[in-house]
Amino acid sequence: MATPAVETSPPIGMIAAGGVLPFAVADAIVARGQTPVLFALKGICDPKPLARFRHHWIGLGQLGNALKLLKAEGVRDLMFIGNLVRPAVSEIRFDWGTLRELPYIWSAFRGGDDHLLSGVGRIFERHGFHMIGVKDVAPNLLVPEGRLTRSGPNDLVTGDIAKGMSVLRAMAPFDVGQAVVVIDGHVVALEDIEGTDGLLARVARLRADRRIRAAAGRGVLVKAPKAGQDLRYDLPTIGPRTIEGLSAAGLAGVAVAAAYTLLADPQETVAAADRAGVFITGVTA
């Protein structure tokens, strides 16, 4: 008598860039009883932790090769995850599959990062894939509402948080940064192409140059996604490096949009914040 075939769900495809997040999300997918397959970007994704998972290497601009591999693996649900510096079109070596999509790719590049990622996502959707986000497979990696650390914001910092959120809402139509630093009611720095680490390093330099006179332990980093952003792509992220930057910049802590911000390496991030005496809190955006 034949044994009935066991039905298994299709694997979840992950186009994996840099940093620790691809592997944290892959672990969360495994914990849910599903199988991740990582399509790692050459020269960007870390090969050492990648070895723990089923994976393939793909190059930027190698859309044709990526589509073949995704279909061979039986992937239906697909996500982008990890850090990626926006490449120049001239730096990308296109394969024939990419060249066929060139009008859509040019359109995607004509805008900010959210426009680029959502544009590339639409290309994959045209080929039959269902684009998903971290919230669909690893909600435990999203910052909840309320403080995560022993310390929390005082009344003065609470006002800075509110102002920072207002600034980010005002910036949203321009598809620029997702972070701002506010100290004692003054907006002192906005996130630009340098990213959050560069933003915090800039604040530290401003303190060293005495352009910022407020005492250390004042002010806050505020992070939130842009209004209208496709939340499947490029959510704000904090991790241990953020805590190092906060401490060097002399800030009291970080406030992020609850349920819409990724927490890389949650245990180490919170422990590092407690050691540094800075707070992490999730707030309603």
Side-chain angles (χ1 to χ4, degrees), residues 113-165:
D113 288 346
D114 184 56
H115 181 79
L116 173 60
L117 289 168
S118 59
V120 174
R122 285 192 293 272
I123 292 172
F124 281 101
E125 287 175 333
R126 288 180 54 249
H127 286 272
F129 297 99
H130 175 224
M131 300 304 298
I132 61 173
V134 172
K135 199 164 189 172
D136 299 307
V137 293
N140 58 303
L141 295 180
L142 297 171
V143 176
E145 190 164 0
R147 82 182 194 207
L148 278 64
T149 46
R150 287 195 292 266
S151 63
N154 57 29
D155 291 342
L156 180 60
V157 174
T158 299
D160 287 343
I161 293 170
K163 186 162 191 175
M165 285 294 180

Side-chain angles (χ1 to χ4, degrees), residues 6 51 56 68 85 100 182 192 198 200 235 245 257 277 285:
V6 177
H56 302 274
K68 288 178 185 177
V85 175
R100 286 194 289 267
V182 183
D192 58 15
L200 292 172
L235 286 178

